[in-house]
Amino acid sequence: MRVLVLLAALVAVATSTETFVGHQVLRIVPTTHEELQKVQELQDLEDLQLDFWQGPRGPGHPVDVRVPFPSLQPLKAHLESNGISYSIMIEDVQALVDREKREMLRSRHRLPLSTNTFSYDSYHTLDEIYAFIDLLVAENPNLVSKLEIGRSTEDRPLYVLKFSKGGTNRPAIWIDTGIHSREWVTQASGIWFAKKIVSDHENDEVLASVLDELDIFLEIVTNPDGFAFTHTQNRLWRKTRSRHSSSSCIGVDPNRNWDAGFGGSGSSSNPCSETYHGPYANSEPEVRAIVDFVKNHGNIKAFISIHSYSQLLLYPYGYTSDPAPDHQELHQISQQAVAALSSLYGTDFEYGSIYTTIYPASGSTVDWTYNQGIKYSFTFELRDTGRYGFLLPAAQIVPTAQETWLALRVIIQYTQDHPY
Amino acid sequence: PPSSFRLRRAAVLAAGLIRYRRGGPGRGPVLRDVRRGRGPDIDDAGHKYHLEFVLEDLNDKDSAVNCTAEVLYHLGNRNTPPDVQFTIEGELKSSDEADHRFYNQIKSLKEELVAENIPDSHGNVPPALVPIRLLAWAAAGYVIWQNSTEDTELHLAQIKRVKQVKRSDEYLEFDYVILLHDVVSQDVIPWRITVLWHPQHGVQVTR
């Protein structure tokens, strides 16, 4: 809470002239008296213009200091050469200040009272999405239920929506969005898919027929820690927010953490890499939760994991150039799905195996699900192809979701028509 | 048949260079799709790709032009940027009006222009900042060209900061911090660049 008070003070200053662009807040923990003294000496170096939020008190007590951009390199070098450990508490003070300013200026937030007044054409926060989920369930208790399949590293609930007309352990379709948190059009599309299923489950004959026999599971925010981080600190954060080593780098690539060719080329053993596979397969609770769910369910027949960007429809394998045994069938389904997608707005998609279409990738989601026997395993990369990339304008959310849904519908229908 | 991703990477690189040479605040040529391609042809010099692709303007979907390019990735000396020879069939749309409007607007500003996060988190670019973004995009084409290999596919993810630097001569000067995203490694790489521009003289990047 002290952080908020200090931030408010910063905001007051910032509304005048001072800027905190590039400033970081470091947390330094001196463990010995020698280290403590070195940290105390820093207080005398006026040129560094350090702003101690929490001053040195004793060994083992954290010291929080705001560091102006020009002093970052020298200070970090000084700490590292003296073996004093630190972590980055706030990566960009100005970004946080700006956000606080906006929050304070914004008029009282009105949450939508129903999923009919929810704005599908804008991006939402985690709280707003979780509120949407509860609304959707409340409005459609006979069709939709919410499952908590686990908790994230930072203890956020992992929610899955179940669309079911009854039965017990029916064969099922799984769809997930947002496993990479910066791919915002995917979580936004997931919200739209949820509403679409509810709206169309009786009047769309394909969907009605599917739901007579199969269930649909949809995890909209598959990486909630990363997603929260993209709202508060770094819009381009991809990974989870776990800490596994003494490295100051955080996060594991959840799409390299699965037990299929784990640790192979096409993933990195460097914790600072965007494709860091993690210390071992399923180390990430976000991944583990899905693994456990899939194994316990035992009757999932299609698994679709949604990413952005690049406009691709991909099937296994990523960890080897060997074609998957069912590659011809998967290729044919992809062809139909892409044709349906393109029919709406002319959006071009390429398709093929992960390895030959995008790049070698080991430990990826659909390689594991495929090897578990879920034959119809696909990965989508949605719009665009690089003009906006991850920062896809909100106006493109609904068109993207609409065209993607046509492809999903093809896959879902095919799954129903080809039981195995 | 050639791997589709290799052709795509070469086309992205070629489009980046074309954007540097022909783009600016009033014009943003971007890759629409790859029509045909062949490669890599491997010889002592390196890996060569032959491409036919279509460019369109970011803000004008009806502006498609066909292009051909030869892209040579040097193998011996990895510090040498790829050779790109390109031909544009026909004309890119004229940007004279937009260029001059932007030029006069900036020249008449009382204080240096400063802006951040373009596009913002929601993909928005305020209309007034569209030329600033297109200029960065053209300049980024230079950085992308200079730093591309067969194992990268670089795109401009975001302009973190832009600050105008007032000059006494006829040029406009901007300091940008841009973020490049490499689709292959998934890295986001910050670059600080200084960009000079003039309606007649085009874009220049001085590191």
Side-chain angles (χ1 to χ4, degrees), chain A residues 203-222:
Chain A
N203 54 46
D204 172 13
E205 56 184 22
V206 166
L207 193 56
S209 164
V210 164
L211 285 168
D212 279 340
E213 293 174 17
L214 292 89
D215 295 339
I216 300 176
F217 293 100
L218 173 62
E219 185 174 11
I220 296 175
V221 188
T222 306

PDB file of all heavy atoms in Angstrom, chain A residues 203-222:
ATOM      1  N   ASN A 203     -30.132 -22.245 -32.992  1.00  0.00           N
ATOM      2  CA  ASN A 203     -30.529 -21.912 -34.363  1.00  0.00           C
ATOM      3  C   ASN A 203     -29.492 -22.281 -35.422  1.00  0.00           C
ATOM      4  O   ASN A 203     -29.819 -22.345 -36.607  1.00  0.00           O
ATOM      5  CB  ASN A 203     -30.884 -20.422 -34.478  1.00  0.00           C
ATOM      6  CG  ASN A 203     -29.762 -19.551 -33.969  1.00  0.00           C
ATOM      7  OD1 ASN A 203     -28.593 -19.767 -34.295  1.00  0.00           O
ATOM      8  ND2 ASN A 203     -30.098 -18.574 -33.154  1.00  0.00           N
ATOM      9  N   ASP A 204     -28.249 -22.559 -35.025  1.00  0.00           N
ATOM     10  CA  ASP A 204     -27.247 -22.991 -36.007  1.00  0.00           C
ATOM     11  C   ASP A 204     -27.251 -24.515 -36.014  1.00  0.00           C
ATOM     12  O   ASP A 204     -26.875 -25.146 -35.021  1.00  0.00           O
ATOM     13  CB  ASP A 204     -25.859 -22.454 -35.630  1.00  0.00           C
ATOM     14  CG  ASP A 204     -24.763 -23.047 -36.507  1.00  0.00           C
ATOM     15  OD1 ASP A 204     -25.085 -23.664 -37.542  1.00  0.00           O
ATOM     16  OD2 ASP A 204     -23.580 -22.894 -36.153  1.00  0.00           O
ATOM     17  N   GLU A 205     -27.677 -25.108 -37.134  1.00  0.00           N
ATOM     18  CA  GLU A 205     -27.891 -26.559 -37.108  1.00  0.00           C
ATOM     19  C   GLU A 205     -26.606 -27.345 -36.858  1.00  0.00           C
ATOM     20  O   GLU A 205     -26.625 -28.405 -36.229  1.00  0.00           O
ATOM     21  CB  GLU A 205     -28.581 -27.034 -38.381  1.00  0.00           C
ATOM     22  CG  GLU A 205     -27.857 -26.659 -39.653  1.00  0.00           C
ATOM     23  CD  GLU A 205     -28.663 -27.093 -40.884  1.00  0.00           C
ATOM     24  OE1 GLU A 205     -29.892 -27.278 -40.781  1.00  0.00           O
ATOM     25  OE2 GLU A 205     -28.029 -27.257 -41.945  1.00  0.00           O
ATOM     26  N   VAL A 206     -25.479 -26.815 -37.327  1.00  0.00           N
ATOM     27  CA  VAL A 206     -24.206 -27.505 -37.076  1.00  0.00           C
ATOM     28  C   VAL A 206     -23.911 -27.525 -35.581  1.00  0.00           C
ATOM     29  O   VAL A 206     -23.634 -28.568 -34.981  1.00  0.00           O
ATOM     30  CB  VAL A 206     -23.059 -26.816 -37.833  1.00  0.00           C
ATOM     31  CG1 VAL A 206     -21.699 -27.301 -37.332  1.00  0.00           C
ATOM     32  CG2 VAL A 206     -23.177 -27.062 -39.333  1.00  0.00           C
ATOM     33  N   LEU A 207     -24.005 -26.342 -34.962  1.00  0.00           N
ATOM     34  CA  LEU A 207     -23.677 -26.234 -33.543  1.00  0.00           C
ATOM     35  C   LEU A 207     -24.683 -27.005 -32.691  1.00  0.00           C
ATOM     36  O   LEU A 207     -24.316 -27.693 -31.734  1.00  0.00           O
ATOM     37  CB  LEU A 207     -23.656 -24.758 -33.142  1.00  0.00           C
ATOM     38  CG  LEU A 207     -23.029 -24.421 -31.782  1.00  0.00           C
ATOM     39  CD1 LEU A 207     -21.607 -24.945 -31.694  1.00  0.00           C
ATOM     40  CD2 LEU A 207     -23.066 -22.917 -31.560  1.00  0.00           C
ATOM     41  N   ALA A 208     -25.947 -26.902 -33.052  1.00  0.00           N
ATOM     42  CA  ALA A 208     -26.985 -27.615 -32.300  1.00  0.00           C
ATOM     43  C   ALA A 208     -26.732 -29.108 -32.347  1.00  0.00           C
ATOM     44  O   ALA A 208     -26.824 -29.816 -31.328  1.00  0.00           O
ATOM     45  CB  ALA A 208     -28.356 -27.272 -32.861  1.00  0.00           C
ATOM     46  N   SER A 209     -26.402 -29.592 -33.535  1.00  0.00           N
ATOM     47  CA  SER A 209     -26.135 -31.014 -33.698  1.00  0.00           C
ATOM     48  C   SER A 209     -24.896 -31.437 -32.918  1.00  0.00           C
ATOM     49  O   SER A 209     -24.875 -32.482 -32.254  1.00  0.00           O
ATOM     50  CB  SER A 209     -25.965 -31.319 -35.186  1.00  0.00           C
ATOM     51  OG  SER A 209     -25.368 -32.571 -35.365  1.00  0.00           O
ATOM     52  N   VAL A 210     -23.849 -30.625 -32.979  1.00  0.00           N
ATOM     53  CA  VAL A 210     -22.618 -30.947 -32.244  1.00  0.00           C
ATOM     54  C   VAL A 210     -22.905 -31.052 -30.759  1.00  0.00           C
ATOM     55  O   VAL A 210     -22.516 -32.013 -30.100  1.00  0.00           O
ATOM     56  CB  VAL A 210     -21.536 -29.878 -32.512  1.00  0.00           C
ATOM     57  CG1 VAL A 210     -20.419 -29.956 -31.478  1.00  0.00           C
ATOM     58  CG2 VAL A 210     -20.957 -30.031 -33.907  1.00  0.00           C
ATOM     59  N   LEU A 211     -23.641 -30.059 -30.234  1.00  0.00           N
ATOM     60  CA  LEU A 211     -23.875 -30.038 -28.784  1.00  0.00           C
ATOM     61  C   LEU A 211     -24.858 -31.116 -28.336  1.00  0.00           C
ATOM     62  O   LEU A 211     -24.971 -31.401 -27.143  1.00  0.00           O
ATOM     63  CB  LEU A 211     -24.352 -28.650 -28.344  1.00  0.00           C
ATOM     64  CG  LEU A 211     -23.230 -27.598 -28.303  1.00  0.00           C
ATOM     65  CD1 LEU A 211     -23.797 -26.187 -28.154  1.00  0.00           C
ATOM     66  CD2 LEU A 211     -22.257 -27.896 -27.157  1.00  0.00           C
ATOM     67  N   ASP A 212     -25.541 -31.752 -29.263  1.00  0.00           N
ATOM     68  CA  ASP A 212     -26.368 -32.905 -28.893  1.00  0.00           C
ATOM     69  C   ASP A 212     -25.503 -34.086 -28.506  1.00  0.00           C
ATOM     70  O   ASP A 212     -25.941 -34.975 -27.765  1.00  0.00           O
ATOM     71  CB  ASP A 212     -27.271 -33.315 -30.064  1.00  0.00           C
ATOM     72  CG  ASP A 212     -28.513 -32.440 -30.157  1.00  0.00           C
ATOM     73  OD1 ASP A 212     -28.864 -31.804 -29.137  1.00  0.00           O
ATOM     74  OD2 ASP A 212     -29.105 -32.375 -31.250  1.00  0.00           O
ATOM     75  N   GLU A 213     -24.285 -34.116 -29.034  1.00  0.00           N
ATOM     76  CA  GLU A 213     -23.436 -35.287 -28.794  1.00  0.00           C
ATOM     77  C   GLU A 213     -22.131 -34.975 -28.085  1.00  0.00           C
ATOM     78  O   GLU A 213     -21.553 -35.856 -27.438  1.00  0.00           O
ATOM     79  CB  GLU A 213     -23.094 -35.953 -30.139  1.00  0.00           C
ATOM     80  CG  GLU A 213     -24.306 -36.578 -30.809  1.00  0.00           C
ATOM     81  CD  GLU A 213     -23.974 -37.105 -32.197  1.00  0.00           C
ATOM     82  OE1 GLU A 213     -22.762 -37.277 -32.497  1.00  0.00           O
ATOM     83  OE2 GLU A 213     -24.901 -37.335 -32.980  1.00  0.00           O
ATOM     84  N   LEU A 214     -21.625 -33.761 -28.264  1.00  0.00           N
ATOM     85  CA  LEU A 214     -20.318 -33.423 -27.706  1.00  0.00           C
ATOM     86  C   LEU A 214     -20.427 -32.223 -26.766  1.00  0.00           C
ATOM     87  O   LEU A 214     -21.391 -31.451 -26.811  1.00  0.00           O
ATOM     88  CB  LEU A 214     -19.322 -33.062 -28.819  1.00  0.00           C
ATOM     89  CG  LEU A 214     -18.863 -34.163 -29.772  1.00  0.00           C
ATOM     90  CD1 LEU A 214     -19.779 -34.288 -30.976  1.00  0.00           C
ATOM     91  CD2 LEU A 214     -17.440 -33.902 -30.238  1.00  0.00           C
ATOM     92  N   ASP A 215     -19.423 -32.079 -25.917  1.00  0.00           N
ATOM     93  CA  ASP A 215     -19.279 -30.883 -25.086  1.00  0.00           C
ATOM     94  C   ASP A 215     -18.183 -30.002 -25.681  1.00  0.00           C
ATOM     95  O   ASP A 215     -17.311 -30.486 -26.411  1.00  0.00           O
ATOM     96  CB  ASP A 215     -18.873 -31.254 -23.653  1.00  0.00           C
ATOM     97  CG  ASP A 215     -19.948 -32.042 -22.928  1.00  0.00           C
ATOM     98  OD1 ASP A 215     -21.137 -31.977 -23.340  1.00  0.00           O
ATOM     99  OD2 ASP A 215     -19.608 -32.735 -21.943  1.00  0.00           O
ATOM    100  N   ILE A 216     -18.238 -28.714 -25.348  1.00  0.00           N
ATOM    101  CA  ILE A 216     -17.169 -27.801 -25.745  1.00  0.00           C
ATOM    102  C   ILE A 216     -16.582 -27.169 -24.492  1.00  0.00           C
ATOM    103  O   ILE A 216     -17.322 -26.675 -23.632  1.00  0.00           O
ATOM    104  CB  ILE A 216     -17.690 -26.688 -26.682  1.00  0.00           C
ATOM    105  CG1 ILE A 216     -18.280 -27.306 -27.953  1.00  0.00           C
ATOM    106  CG2 ILE A 216     -16.561 -25.726 -27.039  1.00  0.00           C
ATOM    107  CD1 ILE A 216     -18.908 -26.274 -28.893  1.00  0.00           C
ATOM    108  N   PHE A 217     -15.259 -27.216 -24.375  1.00  0.00           N
ATOM    109  CA  PHE A 217     -14.551 -26.551 -23.290  1.00  0.00           C
ATOM    110  C   PHE A 217     -13.783 -25.369 -23.865  1.00  0.00           C
ATOM    111  O   PHE A 217     -13.123 -25.500 -24.901  1.00  0.00           O
ATOM    112  CB  PHE A 217     -13.575 -27.503 -22.597  1.00  0.00           C
ATOM    113  CG  PHE A 217     -14.247 -28.614 -21.848  1.00  0.00           C
ATOM    114  CD1 PHE A 217     -14.343 -29.885 -22.401  1.00  0.00           C
ATOM    115  CD2 PHE A 217     -14.794 -28.390 -20.590  1.00  0.00           C
ATOM    116  CE1 PHE A 217     -14.973 -30.912 -21.714  1.00  0.00           C
ATOM    117  CE2 PHE A 217     -15.426 -29.412 -19.890  1.00  0.00           C
ATOM    118  CZ  PHE A 217     -15.524 -30.677 -20.458  1.00  0.00           C
ATOM    119  N   LEU A 218     -13.849 -24.237 -23.181  1.00  0.00           N
ATOM    120  CA  LEU A 218     -13.195 -23.021 -23.677  1.00  0.00           C
ATOM    121  C   LEU A 218     -12.465 -22.328 -22.540  1.00  0.00           C
ATOM    122  O   LEU A 218     -13.089 -21.911 -21.547  1.00  0.00           O
ATOM    123  CB  LEU A 218     -14.250 -22.081 -24.278  1.00  0.00           C
ATOM    124  CG  LEU A 218     -13.810 -20.674 -24.713  1.00  0.00           C
ATOM    125  CD1 LEU A 218     -12.758 -20.724 -25.810  1.00  0.00           C
ATOM    126  CD2 LEU A 218     -15.019 -19.864 -25.196  1.00  0.00           C
ATOM    127  N   GLU A 219     -11.134 -22.239 -22.647  1.00  0.00           N
ATOM    128  CA  GLU A 219     -10.366 -21.478 -21.659  1.00  0.00           C
ATOM    129  C   GLU A 219      -9.956 -20.164 -22.302  1.00  0.00           C
ATOM    130  O   GLU A 219      -9.149 -20.156 -23.226  1.00  0.00           O
ATOM    131  CB  GLU A 219      -9.132 -22.263 -21.178  1.00  0.00           C
ATOM    132  CG  GLU A 219      -8.399 -21.531 -20.050  1.00  0.00           C
ATOM    133  CD  GLU A 219      -7.246 -22.325 -19.422  1.00  0.00           C
ATOM    134  OE1 GLU A 219      -6.851 -23.367 -19.972  1.00  0.00           O
ATOM    135  OE2 GLU A 219      -6.732 -21.869 -18.380  1.00  0.00           O
ATOM    136  N   ILE A 220     -10.528 -19.073 -21.843  1.00  0.00           N
ATOM    137  CA  ILE A 220     -10.339 -17.786 -22.505  1.00  0.00           C
ATOM    138  C   ILE A 220      -9.015 -17.134 -22.105  1.00  0.00           C
ATOM    139  O   ILE A 220      -8.281 -16.620 -22.946  1.00  0.00           O
ATOM    140  CB  ILE A 220     -11.503 -16.825 -22.188  1.00  0.00           C
ATOM    141  CG1 ILE A 220     -12.814 -17.385 -22.747  1.00  0.00           C
ATOM    142  CG2 ILE A 220     -11.227 -15.441 -22.757  1.00  0.00           C
ATOM    143  CD1 ILE A 220     -14.031 -16.566 -22.380  1.00  0.00           C
ATOM    144  N   VAL A 221      -8.704 -17.144 -20.804  1.00  0.00           N
ATOM    145  CA  VAL A 221      -7.442 -16.537 -20.358  1.00  0.00           C
ATOM    146  C   VAL A 221      -6.574 -17.655 -19.804  1.00  0.00           C
ATOM    147  O   VAL A 221      -6.622 -17.980 -18.621  1.00  0.00           O
ATOM    148  CB  VAL A 221      -7.656 -15.437 -19.295  1.00  0.00           C
ATOM    149  CG1 VAL A 221      -6.344 -14.709 -19.026  1.00  0.00           C
ATOM    150  CG2 VAL A 221      -8.714 -14.442 -19.745  1.00  0.00           C
ATOM    151  N   THR A 222      -5.787 -18.233 -20.674  1.00  0.00           N
ATOM    152  CA  THR A 222      -5.012 -19.406 -20.315  1.00  0.00           C
ATOM    153  C   THR A 222      -3.771 -19.029 -19.518  1.00  0.00           C
ATOM    154  O   THR A 222      -3.206 -19.861 -18.812  1.00  0.00           O
ATOM    155  CB  THR A 222      -4.644 -20.174 -21.598  1.00  0.00           C
ATOM    156  OG1 THR A 222      -5.871 -20.430 -22.317  1.00  0.00           O
ATOM    157  CG2 THR A 222      -3.958 -21.485 -21.335  1.00  0.00           C
TER     158      THR A 222
END
